[in-house]
Amino acid sequence: AASETLLEVNNIEVIYNHVILVLKGVSLTVRKGGITALLGGNGAGKTTTLKAISNLLHSERGEVTKGSILYKGERVQDLDPAALVKRGVIQVMEGRHCFEHLTVEENLLTGAYTRKDGKAAVMADLEMVYDYFPRLKERRRSQAGYTSGGEQQMVAIGRALMSRPETILLDEPSMGLAPQLVEQIFEIVKAVNEGEGVSFLLAEQNTNVALRYAHSGYILENGRVVMEGPAGELRENPDVKEFYLGMS
Ligand code: ATP
């Protein structure tokens, strides 16, 4: 049985600076409990799609000029990012963005700022995050700015988990990381997906890794979805092999 649809992006168009049309009608669906990959090369529109969903385009002079974005059937495109977090959707931005002068643990705790369920629940979730990221427990008193790129990516995901999200929008987790670390991060994403039931919409240029961990995927080219389907089918698709997996 197909699981519940959480996020539904219907034919959205995004324009920057009133003139630059970047998304030309993008539609996608994120189902509960799934890992959905949003794939495509540099500049295809992955980040723009995630920012459109979490309403982060305004500061970049971008706007959704057509289409709709629904979460559990309700229109969310006019909500501010904090209101969206309350509905259970949080974005982990590309480039990680830790608070460099705070410790790893303080960074994680900032992720719980919207919660009203008390300190004990927050501390229990901190332990939950440390269970998924043992490395962060070791580094918990280190200043985040002095941790490695991989550790900062872990902090960014861990901080998102501290808001107890239902869905995480994860932008380019592999960026700048060595292959072994990329694999480690995806293993943790998978563990969180299976262990906590968190759904992921994951933007990635690394098609190979993403399609091994995702359940389904969309490939964006030049602001349009050109292919979509179950991850296993995309992996076997000759065009995907030739243009994205480099093994035709
Ligand atoms: P990347 O992996 O490089 O982030 P992407 O698929 O996420 O690629 P986007 O960042 O969404 O792509 O960019 C899509 C297009 O929109 C690119 O052509 C980019 O130059 C353009 N673009 C992005 N931000 C802006 C902006 N603030 N103003 C104008 N154009 C922008």
Side-chain angles (χ1 to χ4, degrees):
S3 58
E4 181 192 348
T5 294
L6 290 179
L7 178 69
E8 214 183 308
V9 173
N10 295 312
N11 205 21
I12 59 166
E13 202 175 86
V14 168
I15 297 183
Y16 284 112
N17 285 313
H18 305 291
V19 289
I20 310 166
L21 179 63
V22 165
L23 298 189
K24 303 161 186 170
V26 168
S27 298
L28 61 86
T29 298
V30 173
R31 292 189 186 284
K32 194 176 174 73
I35 300 177
T36 305
L38 185 57
L39 305 164
N42 221 317
K46 304 179 297 298
T47 298
T48 299
T49 304
L50 295 191
K51 286 187 172 171
I53 295 165
S54 45
N55 221 340
L56 291 167
L57 287 173
H58 296 295
S59 58
E60 313 206 19
R61 299 180 51 78
E63 59 178 328
V64 178
T65 49
K66 243 194 217 170
S68 64
I69 302 171
L70 306 178
Y71 194 74
K72 292 180 166 174
E74 287 175 42
R75 200 182 148 92
V76 291
Q77 70 216 69
D78 308 311
L79 295 180
D80 62 68
L84 200 58
V85 173
K86 281 195 190 129
R87 303 254 184 129
V89 184
I90 191 159
Q91 176 155 359
V92 178
M93 307 255 259
E94 187 175 39
R96 310 188 260 274
H97 300 287
C98 292
F99 298 105
E100 296 188 354
H101 300 288
L102 300 183
T103 65
V104 164
E105 185 154 299
E106 287 163 348
N107 266 277
L108 294 175
L109 289 171
T110 62
Y113 77 103
T114 53
R115 291 173 54 166
K116 304 273 183 281
D117 53 353
K119 188 160 186 213
V122 171
M123 295 320 278
D125 284 345
L126 188 60
E127 286 309 313
M128 175 270 290
V129 169
Y130 286 147
D131 284 344
Y132 287 106
F133 299 96
R135 185 68 188 147
L136 294 186
K137 189 163 191 174
E138 291 167 22
R139 301 286 266 144
R140 68 186 186 280
R141 300 197 200 291
S142 305
Q143 203 175 309
Y146 290 113
T147 64
S148 71
E151 287 161 355
Q152 289 185 26
Q153 181 65 71
M154 292 179 191
V155 169
I157 299 171
R159 187 175 60 200
L161 277 176
M162 290 300 293
S163 73
R164 272 281 167 202
E166 184 174 49
T167 301
I168 295 180
L169 311 175
L170 183 53
D171 199 358
E172 208 89 47
S174 78
M175 198 174 70
L177 302 183
Q180 200 188 338
L181 259 170
V182 171
E183 212 67 45
Q184 208 178 322
I185 297 279
F186 273 84
E187 281 295 334
I188 294 170
V189 166
K190 182 180 171 201
V192 168
N193 169 254
E194 289 172 357
E196 307 301 314
V198 174
S199 308
F200 284 86
L201 176 59
L202 190 144
E204 253 309 332
Q205 281 198 48
N206 189 333
T207 310
N208 198 334
V209 176
L211 284 183
R212 274 193 286 113
Y213 287 90
H215 304 109
S216 59
Y218 293 84
I219 299 183
L220 278 183
E221 267 174 28
N222 202 6
R224 296 178 210 277
V225 174
V226 293
M227 267 182 274
E228 62 181 274
E233 278 177 26
L234 290 175
R235 273 200 309 267
E236 296 307 319
N237 180 295
D239 288 334
V240 176
K241 282 187 176 174
E242 180 174 355
F243 297 112
Y244 291 97
L245 298 174
M247 49 184 218
S248 57

